[in-house]
Amino acid sequence: MLAGLYDVSTRWAVTHDFEQWKDEIPWMSLYFSGAVWSSLALCGFALVKDRLRRYRRRPTGSTPMRQRVPVRI
């Protein structure tokens, strides 16, 4: 691990050569597209989760309706 940290801290070669990056392109493309979109979707589900109760079907029959109680967050 120390050798890897040393390598990262001392090697600073900037290149725009395609040959240097061609092995990295598939996983970087997947990461910067699929992983980012899935994390944004997870955030969206977390925001919508509390509002789903509004769209659920109300119980029918003789069961009493539950009274909603406001909760401070």
Side-chain angles (χ1 to χ4, degrees):
M1 185 168 163
L2 292 176
L5 288 173
Y6 176 76
D7 186 37
V8 166
S9 65
T10 58
R11 189 180 305 203
W12 291 89
V14 178
T15 180
H16 298 283
D17 184 22
F18 179 75
E19 289 298 318
Q20 297 275 333
W21 288 98
K22 71 178 181 181
D23 294 334
E24 306 290 328
I25 289 174
W27 77 264
M28 289 179 80
S29 298
L30 181 63
Y31 177 76
F32 286 110
S33 60
V36 171
W37 283 109
S38 63
S39 66
L40 289 173
L42 287 173
C43 293
F45 289 138
L47 291 173
V48 173
K49 178 181 69 172
D50 295 330
R51 297 179 185 204
L52 287 178
R53 282 184 270 147
R54 182 183 314 168
Y55 300 106
R56 289 188 180 152
R57 185 179 281 183
R58 297 190 186 263
T60 58
S62 62
T63 58
M65 294 286 290
R66 293 185 190 161
Q67 190 175 23
R68 292 186 179 184
V69 178
V71 177
R72 291 187 71 166
I73 299 176

